């Protein structure tokens, strides 16, 4: 299980490692407050744990989604997004949070299409 903290320009090696668990899907976990993006891994919860332990992230700021290699689309759904009283769905329902997630992800992973 490879978790890649994207604190640099995304590389082909990063993408390859992030596809170890799922060959056509890259899990993406983001701390929206600190703009920290982690890709890869089997579960979003693994990246959430890393964000909380290493970066002192607040769970309410951590959201999950992914990148579908086949459709070349970013997605905003994950078990991690089930947050009682904040988000009652796997999909990010709040447009502000959804847009912020996509903004941070596209900023950090903007060249992902050329690497898959």
């Amino acid at each position: 299980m490879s978790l890649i903290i994207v604190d640099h320009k995304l590389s082909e090696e990063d993408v390859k490692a992030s596809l170890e668990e799922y060959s056509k899907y890259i899990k993406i976990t983001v701390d929206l407050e600190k703009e920290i993006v982690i890709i890869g891994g089997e579960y979003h919860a693994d990246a959430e744990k890393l964000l909380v332990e290493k970066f002192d992230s607040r769970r309410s700021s951590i959201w999950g989604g992914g990148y579908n290699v086949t459709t070349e689309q970013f997605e905003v759904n994950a078990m991690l997004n089930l947050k009682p009283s904040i988000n009652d769905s796997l999909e990010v329902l709040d447009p502000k949070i959804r847009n912020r997630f996509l903004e941070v992800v596209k900023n950090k992973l903007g060249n992902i299409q050329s690497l898959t």
Side-chain angles (χ1 to χ4, degrees):
M1 170 187 69
S2 293
L3 292 174
I4 296 99
I5 301 167
V6 184
D7 56 1
H8 54 281
K9 184 177 180 184
L10 193 63
S11 71
E12 196 171 325
E13 293 79 27
D14 294 332
V15 171
K16 184 179 177 184
S18 70
L19 288 166
E20 285 178 357
E21 296 293 329
Y22 307 98
S23 64
K24 299 292 182 189
Y25 192 78
I26 298 172
K27 296 226 176 195
I28 303 171
T29 309
V30 179
D31 177 334
L32 295 181
E33 206 171 279
K34 297 181 180 183
E35 297 188 5
I36 301 168
V37 175
I38 297 178
I39 61 173
E42 185 174 3
Y43 303 109
H44 289 98
D46 298 324
E48 178 188 42
K49 181 179 178 188
L50 181 61
L51 285 166
V52 169
E53 292 177 356
K54 184 172 181 170
F55 298 99
D56 199 30
S57 295
R58 295 181 312 122
R59 284 193 163 85
S60 61
S61 296
I62 301 172
W63 296 85
Y67 179 76
N68 185 316
V69 174
T70 304
T71 63
E72 297 184 335
Q73 296 289 318
F74 289 106
E75 299 177 358
V76 291
N77 51 42
M79 290 290 292
L80 179 71
N81 298 335
L82 283 171
K83 300 177 190 296
S85 77
I86 297 174
N87 197 69
D88 294 331
S89 174
L90 299 179
E91 188 171 343
V92 180
L93 299 176
D94 184 314
K96 289 180 186 176
I97 295 171
R98 175 193 291 263
N99 290 338
R100 180 73 177 130
F101 178 90
L102 291 170
E103 175 187 340
V104 172
V105 165
K106 288 176 182 177
N107 183 43
K108 297 277 186 163
L109 308 177
N111 64 330
I112 198 167
Q113 291 173 327
S114 65
L115 301 172
T116 55

